Amino acid sequence: MEFNVRRLAADAGTFLSRAVQFTEEKFGQAEKTELDAHLETLLSRVESTKHWTEKIMKQTEVLLQPNPNVRMEEFLYEMLDKKVPTRANNHELLGESMIDSGHEFGPGTAYGSALIKCGETEKLLGSAEKEFIQSSAINFLTPFRNFIEGDFKTISKERKLLQNKRLDLDAAKNRLKKARVADARSAVILSHYVSLCLLACLHLKELNSSPPLGEEYVAHFSYMLSFLHVRWLKTIMKLWIVSSDQFVWFKLMSLLDLTSLLLFLNAGQLWAEEVQQAETELRIAQSEFDRQAEITRLLLEGISSTHAHHLRCLNDFVDAQASYYAQCYQYMVNLQKQLGSFPSTFSNNNQPASTSSASISVPTAQAAASLPAPPPSQASPALNELRSTSGTRKARVLYDYDAASSSELSLLADEVITVSSVPGMDSDWLMGQRGNQKGKVPITYLELLN
Protein backbone atom coordinates (compact mmCIF):
# COMPACT_ATOMS: atom_id res chain seq x y z
CA MET A 1 0.00 0.00 0.00
CA GLU A 2 2.83 2.37 0.86
CA PHE A 3 4.45 1.75 -2.52
CA ASN A 4 1.22 2.49 -4.35
CA VAL A 5 0.76 5.77 -2.49
CA ARG A 6 4.28 6.86 -3.29
CA ARG A 7 3.85 5.87 -6.92
CA LEU A 8 0.58 7.77 -7.06
CA ALA A 9 2.22 10.84 -5.52
CA ALA A 10 5.11 10.62 -8.01
CA ASP A 11 2.72 10.29 -10.96
CA ALA A 12 0.69 13.24 -9.69
CA GLY A 13 3.83 15.33 -9.42
CA THR A 14 4.89 14.38 -12.95
CA PHE A 15 1.44 15.19 -14.31
CA LEU A 16 1.42 18.55 -12.53
CA SER A 17 4.89 19.36 -13.86
CA ARG A 18 3.80 18.55 -17.42
CA ALA A 19 0.64 20.62 -17.02
CA VAL A 20 2.60 23.62 -15.77
CA GLN A 21 5.13 23.27 -18.61
CA PHE A 22 2.39 22.95 -21.22
CA THR A 23 0.53 26.00 -19.85
CA GLU A 24 3.67 28.14 -19.77
CA GLU A 25 4.46 27.14 -23.34
CA LYS A 26 0.97 28.18 -24.46
CA PHE A 27 1.39 31.59 -22.82
CA GLY A 28 4.93 32.00 -24.17
CA GLN A 29 6.53 31.93 -20.73
CA ALA A 30 8.67 28.83 -21.28
CA GLU A 31 10.90 27.52 -24.01
CA LYS A 32 9.83 24.53 -26.11
CA THR A 33 12.08 21.87 -27.59
CA GLU A 34 11.29 21.56 -31.30
CA LEU A 35 11.37 18.21 -33.10
CA ASP A 36 13.72 17.78 -36.03
CA ALA A 37 12.37 18.51 -39.52
CA HIS A 38 12.48 14.89 -40.66
CA LEU A 39 10.34 13.74 -37.74
CA GLU A 40 7.85 16.55 -38.31
CA THR A 41 7.57 15.55 -42.00
CA LEU A 42 6.90 11.93 -41.04
CA LEU A 43 4.24 12.98 -38.53
CA SER A 44 2.51 15.10 -41.16
CA ARG A 45 2.62 12.22 -43.65
CA VAL A 46 1.07 9.81 -41.17
CA GLU A 47 -1.73 12.24 -40.34
CA SER A 48 -2.45 12.70 -44.06
CA THR A 49 -2.46 8.92 -44.58
CA LYS A 50 -4.90 8.44 -41.72
CA HIS A 51 -7.22 11.19 -43.00
CA TRP A 52 -7.43 9.91 -46.58
CA THR A 53 -7.59 6.25 -45.55
CA GLU A 54 -10.67 6.98 -43.44
CA LYS A 55 -12.26 8.97 -46.26
CA ILE A 56 -11.59 6.31 -48.93
CA MET A 57 -12.84 3.58 -46.61
CA LYS A 58 -16.05 5.49 -45.87
CA GLN A 59 -16.79 6.17 -49.54
CA THR A 60 -16.07 2.54 -50.46
CA GLU A 61 -18.57 1.38 -47.85
CA VAL A 62 -21.14 3.75 -49.36
CA LEU A 63 -20.38 2.35 -52.82
CA LEU A 64 -20.73 -1.27 -51.71
CA GLN A 65 -23.83 -0.61 -49.61
CA PRO A 66 -25.68 2.63 -50.47
CA ASN A 67 -28.37 2.03 -47.81
CA PRO A 68 -27.24 3.75 -44.57
CA ASN A 69 -29.66 1.71 -42.45
CA VAL A 70 -28.17 -1.54 -43.69
CA ARG A 71 -24.67 -0.22 -43.05
CA MET A 72 -25.63 0.68 -39.49
CA GLU A 73 -27.18 -2.76 -38.96
CA GLU A 74 -24.04 -4.47 -40.28
CA PHE A 75 -21.91 -2.29 -38.01
CA LEU A 76 -23.95 -3.29 -34.95
CA TYR A 77 -23.70 -6.97 -35.82
CA GLU A 78 -19.94 -6.54 -36.19
CA MET A 79 -19.67 -4.79 -32.81
CA LEU A 80 -21.68 -7.59 -31.20
CA ASP A 81 -19.48 -10.16 -32.95
CA LYS A 82 -22.49 -11.80 -34.59
CA LYS A 83 -22.98 -13.04 -38.13
CA VAL A 84 -24.89 -10.71 -40.42
CA PRO A 85 -28.12 -12.40 -41.58
CA THR A 86 -28.25 -13.28 -45.27
CA ARG A 87 -30.66 -11.14 -47.25
CA ALA A 88 -31.50 -10.78 -50.93
CA ASN A 89 -30.08 -7.70 -52.65
CA ASN A 90 -31.97 -5.47 -55.07
CA HIS A 91 -31.01 -7.46 -58.18
CA GLU A 92 -32.21 -10.69 -56.62
CA LEU A 93 -35.47 -9.13 -55.47
CA LEU A 94 -36.07 -7.76 -58.95
CA GLY A 95 -35.25 -11.14 -60.48
CA GLU A 96 -37.71 -12.94 -58.22
CA SER A 97 -40.45 -10.46 -59.13
CA MET A 98 -39.77 -10.93 -62.85
CA ILE A 99 -39.76 -14.71 -62.58
CA ASP A 100 -43.01 -14.75 -60.60
CA SER A 101 -44.69 -12.41 -63.08
CA GLY A 102 -43.40 -14.47 -66.00
CA HIS A 103 -44.97 -17.60 -64.58
CA GLU A 104 -48.15 -15.65 -63.99
CA PHE A 105 -48.34 -14.51 -67.62
CA GLY A 106 -47.33 -17.95 -68.84
CA PRO A 107 -43.90 -19.30 -69.75
CA GLY A 108 -45.26 -20.20 -73.20
CA THR A 109 -45.95 -16.55 -74.09
CA ALA A 110 -43.26 -14.30 -75.49
CA TYR A 111 -43.62 -11.74 -72.71
CA GLY A 112 -43.72 -14.30 -69.92
CA SER A 113 -40.70 -16.16 -71.28
CA ALA A 114 -38.79 -12.88 -71.62
CA LEU A 115 -39.62 -11.93 -68.01
CA ILE A 116 -38.36 -15.28 -66.76
CA LYS A 117 -35.10 -14.93 -68.69
CA CYS A 118 -34.61 -11.37 -67.42
CA GLY A 119 -35.35 -12.49 -63.87
CA GLU A 120 -32.79 -15.29 -64.05
CA THR A 121 -30.20 -12.82 -65.35
CA GLU A 122 -31.00 -10.34 -62.57
CA LYS A 123 -30.45 -13.07 -59.99
CA LEU A 124 -27.09 -13.83 -61.60
CA LEU A 125 -26.24 -10.12 -61.36
CA GLY A 126 -27.22 -10.15 -57.68
CA SER A 127 -25.01 -13.16 -57.02
CA ALA A 128 -22.08 -11.48 -58.81
CA GLU A 129 -22.65 -8.33 -56.75
CA LYS A 130 -22.49 -10.31 -53.51
CA GLU A 131 -19.22 -11.91 -54.57
CA PHE A 132 -17.81 -8.49 -55.47
CA ILE A 133 -18.84 -6.97 -52.12
CA GLN A 134 -17.35 -9.88 -50.19
CA SER A 135 -14.10 -9.77 -52.14
CA SER A 136 -13.80 -5.99 -51.71
CA ALA A 137 -14.49 -6.21 -47.98
CA ILE A 138 -11.81 -8.84 -47.44
CA ASN A 139 -9.10 -7.60 -49.80
CA PHE A 140 -9.62 -3.84 -49.60
CA LEU A 141 -11.65 -2.60 -46.63
CA THR A 142 -10.20 -4.97 -44.02
CA PRO A 143 -6.52 -3.93 -44.57
CA PHE A 144 -7.52 -0.26 -44.47
CA ARG A 145 -9.48 -0.79 -41.26
CA ASN A 146 -6.58 -2.73 -39.72
CA PHE A 147 -4.31 0.25 -40.34
CA ILE A 148 -6.70 2.68 -38.64
CA GLU A 149 -7.45 0.44 -35.67
CA GLY A 150 -3.98 -1.13 -35.32
CA ASP A 151 -0.91 0.57 -36.77
CA PHE A 152 -2.18 4.12 -36.43
CA LYS A 153 -3.24 3.60 -32.81
CA THR A 154 0.25 2.30 -32.00
CA ILE A 155 1.80 5.33 -33.69
CA SER A 156 -0.55 7.67 -31.80
CA LYS A 157 0.39 6.02 -28.50
CA GLU A 158 4.13 6.39 -29.12
CA ARG A 159 3.61 9.94 -30.34
CA LYS A 160 1.80 10.80 -27.10
CA LEU A 161 4.68 9.30 -25.11
CA LEU A 162 7.10 11.42 -27.14
CA GLN A 163 5.08 14.52 -26.29
CA ASN A 164 5.21 13.64 -22.58
CA LYS A 165 8.97 13.05 -22.74
CA ARG A 166 9.41 16.41 -24.43
CA LEU A 167 7.43 18.13 -21.67
CA ASP A 168 9.57 16.33 -19.06
CA LEU A 169 12.72 17.45 -20.87
CA ASP A 170 11.66 21.09 -21.03
CA ALA A 171 10.55 21.01 -17.38
CA ALA A 172 13.98 19.64 -16.40
CA LYS A 173 15.66 22.44 -18.38
CA ASN A 174 13.56 25.04 -16.56
CA ARG A 175 14.35 23.50 -13.15
CA LEU A 176 18.07 23.56 -13.91
CA LYS A 177 17.84 27.16 -15.06
CA LYS A 178 16.01 28.23 -11.89
CA ALA A 179 18.38 26.27 -9.66
CA ARG A 180 21.41 27.94 -11.23
CA VAL A 181 19.87 31.39 -10.75
CA ALA A 182 19.10 30.62 -7.09
CA ASP A 183 22.60 29.24 -6.54
CA ALA A 184 24.10 32.40 -8.01
CA ARG A 185 21.94 34.57 -5.76
CA SER A 186 22.93 32.49 -2.72
CA ALA A 187 26.59 33.02 -3.54
CA VAL A 188 26.03 36.78 -3.80
CA ILE A 189 24.19 36.89 -0.49
CA LEU A 190 26.95 34.87 1.19
CA SER A 191 29.63 37.20 -0.13
CA HIS A 192 27.61 40.21 1.10
CA TYR A 193 27.23 38.59 4.50
CA VAL A 194 30.96 38.02 4.83
CA SER A 195 31.60 41.60 3.75
CA LEU A 196 29.14 42.80 6.34
CA CYS A 197 30.91 40.84 9.06
CA LEU A 198 34.23 42.35 8.09
CA LEU A 199 32.82 45.84 8.05
CA ALA A 200 31.19 45.33 11.43
CA CYS A 201 34.43 44.15 12.92
CA LEU A 202 36.21 47.12 11.45
CA HIS A 203 33.63 49.52 12.89
CA LEU A 204 33.79 47.91 16.28
CA LYS A 205 37.53 48.34 16.27
CA GLU A 206 37.10 52.00 15.47
CA LEU A 207 34.71 52.40 18.38
CA ASN A 208 37.29 50.95 20.75
CA SER A 209 39.93 53.32 19.47
CA SER A 210 40.48 56.68 21.14
CA PRO A 211 39.73 58.97 18.19
CA PRO A 212 36.03 59.55 17.66
CA LEU A 213 34.34 58.72 14.42
CA GLY A 214 34.74 61.44 11.93
CA GLU A 215 32.64 62.51 9.00
CA GLU A 216 35.27 61.26 6.56
CA TYR A 217 35.09 57.74 8.02
CA VAL A 218 31.29 57.70 7.89
CA ALA A 219 31.30 58.80 4.26
CA HIS A 220 33.88 56.17 3.40
CA PHE A 221 31.91 53.48 5.20
CA SER A 222 28.67 54.49 3.43
CA TYR A 223 30.46 54.26 0.09
CA MET A 224 31.52 50.70 0.89
CA LEU A 225 27.93 49.94 1.96
CA SER A 226 26.57 51.04 -1.43
CA PHE A 227 27.99 47.85 -3.00
CA LEU A 228 25.63 45.70 -0.93
CA HIS A 229 22.53 44.56 -2.85
CA VAL A 230 20.60 43.03 0.07
CA ARG A 231 18.18 45.49 1.66
CA TRP A 232 18.10 44.07 5.17
CA LEU A 233 21.88 44.02 5.33
CA LYS A 234 21.96 47.72 4.41
CA THR A 235 19.50 48.46 7.20
CA ILE A 236 21.72 46.78 9.79
CA MET A 237 24.79 48.62 8.53
CA LYS A 238 23.05 52.01 8.69
CA LEU A 239 22.09 51.30 12.31
CA TRP A 240 25.70 50.58 13.04
CA ILE A 241 26.92 53.74 11.38
CA VAL A 242 24.56 56.13 13.12
CA SER A 243 25.04 54.55 16.55
CA SER A 244 28.10 55.16 18.75
CA ASP A 245 26.79 53.05 21.64
CA GLN A 246 28.97 49.96 22.01
CA PHE A 247 26.10 48.06 23.63
CA VAL A 248 24.00 48.51 20.55
CA TRP A 249 26.94 47.39 18.47
CA PHE A 250 27.43 44.26 20.46
CA LYS A 251 23.69 43.49 20.25
CA LEU A 252 23.72 43.92 16.51
CA MET A 253 26.88 41.88 16.22
CA SER A 254 25.08 38.98 17.87
CA LEU A 255 23.03 38.72 14.71
CA LEU A 256 26.19 38.00 12.82
CA ASP A 257 27.33 35.03 14.86
CA LEU A 258 28.83 31.82 13.64
CA THR A 259 25.43 30.06 13.50
CA SER A 260 24.11 32.55 10.94
CA LEU A 261 27.24 32.11 8.90
CA LEU A 262 26.77 28.33 8.95
CA LEU A 263 23.15 28.74 7.83
CA PHE A 264 24.26 30.79 4.86
CA LEU A 265 26.90 28.23 4.00
CA ASN A 266 24.35 25.40 4.32
CA ALA A 267 21.89 27.22 2.05
CA GLY A 268 24.59 27.65 -0.56
CA GLN A 269 25.42 23.96 -0.33
CA LEU A 270 21.74 23.03 -0.71
CA TRP A 271 21.44 25.11 -3.86
CA ALA A 272 24.60 23.55 -5.24
CA GLU A 273 23.12 20.10 -4.61
CA GLU A 274 19.88 21.25 -6.26
CA VAL A 275 21.82 22.29 -9.35
CA GLN A 276 23.62 18.96 -9.42
CA GLN A 277 20.34 17.04 -9.06
CA ALA A 278 18.72 19.15 -11.78
CA GLU A 279 21.61 18.40 -14.12
CA THR A 280 21.22 14.68 -13.44
CA GLU A 281 17.47 14.83 -14.10
CA LEU A 282 18.12 16.75 -17.30
CA ARG A 283 20.52 14.10 -18.56
CA ILE A 284 17.98 11.36 -17.79
CA ALA A 285 15.15 13.31 -19.43
CA GLN A 286 17.28 13.98 -22.51
CA SER A 287 18.18 10.29 -22.79
CA GLU A 288 14.54 9.18 -22.49
CA PHE A 289 13.43 11.80 -25.00
CA ASP A 290 16.07 10.72 -27.54
CA ARG A 291 15.11 7.07 -27.08
CA GLN A 292 11.39 7.77 -27.53
CA ALA A 293 12.08 9.97 -30.55
CA GLU A 294 14.00 7.10 -32.18
CA ILE A 295 11.17 4.63 -31.48
CA THR A 296 8.61 7.03 -32.91
CA ARG A 297 10.76 7.71 -35.97
CA LEU A 298 11.10 3.99 -36.74
CA LEU A 299 7.32 3.55 -36.52
CA LEU A 300 6.68 6.58 -38.71
CA GLU A 301 9.12 5.41 -41.36
CA GLY A 302 7.04 2.24 -41.65
CA ILE A 303 4.33 4.30 -43.36
CA SER A 304 6.06 3.61 -46.67
CA SER A 305 5.43 -0.12 -46.18
CA THR A 306 1.81 0.72 -45.36
CA HIS A 307 1.47 2.62 -48.63
CA ALA A 308 2.94 -0.33 -50.54
CA HIS A 309 0.49 -2.72 -48.85
CA HIS A 310 -2.43 -0.40 -49.60
CA LEU A 311 -1.32 -0.25 -53.23
CA ARG A 312 -1.57 -4.03 -53.49
CA CYS A 313 -5.01 -3.89 -51.90
CA LEU A 314 -6.01 -1.22 -54.41
CA ASN A 315 -4.92 -3.47 -57.27
CA ASP A 316 -7.01 -6.29 -55.82
CA PHE A 317 -10.00 -3.96 -55.58
CA VAL A 318 -9.62 -2.83 -59.19
CA ASP A 319 -9.29 -6.45 -60.34
CA ALA A 320 -12.44 -7.35 -58.43
CA GLN A 321 -14.29 -4.44 -60.00
CA ALA A 322 -13.11 -5.36 -63.50
CA SER A 323 -14.12 -8.98 -63.01
CA TYR A 324 -17.51 -7.98 -61.60
CA TYR A 325 -18.37 -5.59 -64.42
CA ALA A 326 -17.09 -7.97 -67.07
CA GLN A 327 -19.21 -10.75 -65.61
CA CYS A 328 -22.27 -8.49 -65.51
CA TYR A 329 -21.64 -7.38 -69.08
CA GLN A 330 -21.44 -10.98 -70.27
CA TYR A 331 -24.72 -11.78 -68.50
CA MET A 332 -26.41 -8.88 -70.24
CA VAL A 333 -24.96 -9.80 -73.64
CA ASN A 334 -26.34 -13.31 -73.29
CA LEU A 335 -29.70 -11.90 -72.20
CA GLN A 336 -29.73 -9.58 -75.17
CA LYS A 337 -29.16 -12.50 -77.53
CA GLN A 338 -31.98 -14.44 -75.93
CA LEU A 339 -34.36 -11.50 -76.18
CA GLY A 340 -33.33 -10.93 -79.79
CA SER A 341 -34.60 -14.39 -80.72
CA PHE A 342 -38.21 -13.58 -79.93
CA PRO A 343 -40.59 -12.99 -82.90
CA SER A 344 -41.60 -9.53 -81.66
CA THR A 345 -38.12 -8.26 -82.29
CA PHE A 346 -38.24 -9.06 -85.99
CA SER A 347 -41.87 -8.05 -86.54
CA ASN A 348 -41.06 -4.52 -85.37
CA ASN A 349 -38.11 -4.07 -87.73
CA ASN A 350 -40.19 -1.89 -90.06
CA GLN A 351 -40.84 0.64 -87.26
CA PRO A 352 -38.81 3.89 -87.14
CA ALA A 353 -35.26 3.59 -85.85
CA SER A 354 -36.05 5.72 -82.77
CA THR A 355 -38.22 2.96 -81.32
CA SER A 356 -35.60 0.24 -81.55
CA SER A 357 -32.90 -0.55 -79.01
CA ALA A 358 -30.03 0.01 -81.41
CA SER A 359 -27.98 1.73 -78.67
CA ILE A 360 -27.03 -1.62 -77.16
CA SER A 361 -23.74 -3.05 -78.40
CA VAL A 362 -22.91 -6.75 -78.34
CA PRO A 363 -19.18 -7.22 -79.01
CA THR A 364 -18.98 -10.87 -78.01
CA ALA A 365 -22.04 -12.48 -79.57
CA GLN A 366 -21.99 -16.19 -80.24
CA ALA A 367 -23.31 -18.01 -83.32
CA ALA A 368 -27.01 -17.41 -83.79
CA ALA A 369 -27.74 -20.58 -85.72
CA SER A 370 -30.05 -21.78 -83.00
CA LEU A 371 -32.31 -18.74 -83.22
CA PRO A 372 -35.79 -19.75 -84.41
CA ALA A 373 -37.17 -18.19 -87.56
CA PRO A 374 -40.17 -15.96 -87.20
CA PRO A 375 -43.44 -17.66 -88.08
CA PRO A 376 -44.61 -17.09 -91.65
CA SER A 377 -47.72 -15.36 -90.42
CA GLN A 378 -45.60 -12.73 -88.67
CA ALA A 379 -42.91 -12.31 -91.35
CA SER A 380 -42.76 -8.90 -92.96
CA PRO A 381 -43.88 -8.43 -96.56
CA ALA A 382 -40.47 -7.03 -97.42
CA LEU A 383 -38.79 -10.27 -96.33
CA ASN A 384 -41.29 -12.40 -98.25
CA GLU A 385 -40.71 -10.30 -101.34
CA LEU A 386 -36.95 -10.62 -100.94
CA ARG A 387 -37.12 -14.40 -100.67
CA SER A 388 -39.56 -14.78 -103.56
CA THR A 389 -37.64 -12.62 -106.01
CA SER A 390 -34.12 -13.66 -104.93
CA GLY A 391 -33.14 -10.01 -105.37
CA THR A 392 -31.16 -7.68 -103.11
CA ARG A 393 -32.29 -5.10 -100.53
CA LYS A 394 -30.67 -2.53 -98.28
CA ALA A 395 -30.78 -3.26 -94.57
CA ARG A 396 -29.75 -1.28 -91.50
CA VAL A 397 -27.84 -3.12 -88.76
CA LEU A 398 -29.54 -2.92 -85.36
CA TYR A 399 -26.76 -4.32 -83.15
CA ASP A 400 -23.09 -5.07 -83.33
CA TYR A 401 -22.31 -8.66 -84.30
CA ASP A 402 -18.99 -10.50 -84.31
CA ALA A 403 -18.68 -13.28 -86.88
CA ALA A 404 -18.31 -16.69 -85.26
CA SER A 405 -16.76 -18.26 -88.39
CA SER A 406 -15.28 -17.29 -91.74
CA SER A 407 -18.64 -17.83 -93.47
CA GLU A 408 -20.28 -15.07 -91.44
CA LEU A 409 -19.98 -11.28 -91.77
CA SER A 410 -19.26 -9.04 -88.79
CA LEU A 411 -21.66 -6.13 -88.34
CA LEU A 412 -21.56 -2.69 -86.75
CA ALA A 413 -24.66 -1.02 -85.34
CA ASP A 414 -26.35 1.57 -87.61
CA GLU A 415 -24.38 0.66 -90.74
CA VAL A 416 -26.25 -0.11 -93.99
CA ILE A 417 -25.42 -3.27 -95.94
CA THR A 418 -26.82 -5.15 -98.92
CA VAL A 419 -28.64 -8.41 -98.18
CA SER A 420 -30.05 -11.14 -100.37
CA SER A 421 -31.76 -14.49 -99.95
CA VAL A 422 -29.85 -17.59 -101.05
CA PRO A 423 -31.80 -20.75 -101.85
CA GLY A 424 -31.20 -23.52 -99.33
CA MET A 425 -29.93 -21.12 -96.61
CA ASP A 426 -31.39 -21.40 -93.12
CA SER A 427 -34.42 -19.19 -92.64
CA ASP A 428 -32.72 -17.33 -89.76
CA TRP A 429 -29.97 -16.04 -92.04
CA LEU A 430 -29.47 -13.81 -95.08
CA MET A 431 -26.41 -13.24 -97.22
CA GLY A 432 -24.89 -9.85 -96.42
CA GLN A 433 -22.44 -7.81 -98.45
CA ARG A 434 -20.35 -4.78 -97.53
CA GLY A 435 -18.15 -3.75 -100.42
CA ASN A 436 -16.07 -6.79 -101.31
CA GLN A 437 -16.89 -8.56 -98.03
CA LYS A 438 -19.68 -11.15 -98.03
CA GLY A 439 -21.02 -13.50 -95.41
CA LYS A 440 -24.04 -14.77 -93.56
CA VAL A 441 -25.82 -12.40 -91.22
CA PRO A 442 -28.68 -13.12 -88.76
CA ILE A 443 -31.98 -11.58 -89.79
CA THR A 444 -32.78 -10.58 -86.19
CA TYR A 445 -29.91 -8.06 -86.30
CA LEU A 446 -31.30 -6.32 -89.41
CA GLU A 447 -34.00 -3.87 -90.38
CA LEU A 448 -34.94 -4.04 -94.08
CA LEU A 449 -35.21 -0.64 -95.71
CA ASN A 450 -37.73 0.35 -98.38
Side-chain angles (χ1 to χ4, degrees), residues 101-117 342-344:
S101 61
H103 286 294
E104 179 72 20
F105 295 133
T109 63
Y111 183 46
S113 178
L115 283 173
I116 293 175
K117 292 182 181 296
F342 289 102
S344 59

Side-chain angles (χ1 to χ4, degrees), residues 115-413:
L115 283 173
I116 293 175
K117 292 182 181 296
C118 289
E120 292 174 350
T121 302
E122 289 295 334
K123 295 186 73 172
L124 291 175
L125 292 176
S127 178
E129 182 183 15
K130 285 185 175 180
E131 293 178 0
F132 167 63
I133 292 175
Q134 184 179 9
S135 175
S136 299
I138 295 175
N139 299 324
F140 187 67
L141 287 179
T142 300
F144 275 47
R145 189 175 291 109
N146 290 339
F147 167 74
I148 296 297
E149 298 177 355
D151 296 345
F152 184 77
K153 282 189 176 180
T154 303
I155 292 175
S156 299
K157 179 181 178 181
E158 296 300 331
R159 182 179 179 180
K160 185 177 180 181
L161 288 176
L162 178 63
Q163 176 71 4
N164 291 337
K165 297 301 180 182
R166 185 196 63 77
L167 291 174
D168 293 342
L169 175 62
D170 291 337
K173 290 181 178 179
N174 289 335
R175 282 196 298 270
L176 178 60
K177 182 178 179 181
K178 293 177 181 178
R180 285 176 175 173
V181 171
D183 184 50
R185 289 180 178 177
S186 175
V188 171
I189 293 175
L190 181 61
S191 64
H192 288 175
Y193 183 83
V194 173
S195 300
L196 180 59
C197 291
L198 295 176
L199 292 175
C201 293
L202 179 61
H203 190 61
L204 182 61
K205 182 180 180 180
E206 292 294 335
L207 288 176
N208 293 328
S209 61
S210 55
L213 295 174
E215 295 181 359
E216 181 179 357
Y217 172 77
V218 173
H220 179 67
F221 197 84
S222 299
Y223 175 75
M224 295 175 63
L225 184 62
S226 65
F227 288 97
L228 294 177
H229 300 286
V230 183
R231 185 172 299 175
W232 65 273
L233 292 178
K234 288 184 178 182
T235 303
I236 294 176
M237 289 300 299
K238 288 179 180 178
L239 289 175
W240 283 342
I241 293 174
V242 298
S243 177
S244 58
D245 190 353
Q246 293 187 8
F247 175 75
V248 175
W249 277 105
F250 282 114
K251 192 172 183 179
L252 291 175
M253 281 295 295
S254 64
L255 297 174
L256 304 176
D257 57 4
L258 183 59
T259 303
S260 300
L261 180 60
L262 291 177
L263 290 176
F264 276 106
L265 292 174
N266 188 33
Q269 183 179 1
L270 290 177
W271 281 117
E273 292 178 355
E274 181 69 18
V275 170
Q276 185 177 2
Q277 183 179 358
E279 290 176 347
T280 303
E281 292 178 355
L282 177 60
R283 286 193 296 269
I284 295 175
Q286 184 69 54
S287 176
E288 292 179 352
F289 172 77
D290 294 340
R291 177 177 175 274
Q292 186 60 38
E294 182 66 18
I295 294 174
T296 306
R297 183 185 63 81
L298 292 176
L299 287 175
L300 295 177
E301 288 178 348
I303 198 65
S304 299
S305 300
T306 301
H307 286 183
H309 179 53
H310 287 183
L311 176 59
R312 292 191 294 271
C313 297
L314 183 61
N315 289 332
D316 294 339
F317 178 66
V318 172
D319 291 342
Q321 273 189 314
S323 177
Y324 166 65
Y325 289 123
Q327 193 174 7
C328 293
Y329 178 78
Q330 189 61 44
Y331 289 152
M332 298 310 297
V333 166
N334 295 336
L335 177 62
Q336 186 186 41
K337 293 178 186 178
Q338 295 174 7
L339 295 180
S341 66
F342 289 102
S344 59
T345 306
F346 181 73
S347 63
N348 291 333
N349 278 347
N350 286 332
Q351 293 181 0
S354 60
T355 62
S356 65
S357 57
S359 60
I360 303 177
S361 174
V362 186
T364 58
Q366 304 295 327
S370 61
L371 298 179
S377 60
Q378 296 184 11
S380 66
L383 180 58
N384 293 333
E385 180 183 355
L386 177 62
R387 287 175 175 172
S388 62
T389 60
S390 299
T392 60
R393 292 288 296 272
K394 294 292 185 181
R396 186 176 67 84
V397 179
L398 297 177
Y399 317 116
D400 290 349
Y401 176 74
D402 288 341
S405 64
S406 59
S407 62
E408 297 179 7
L409 179 65
S410 297
L411 303 176
L412 295 176

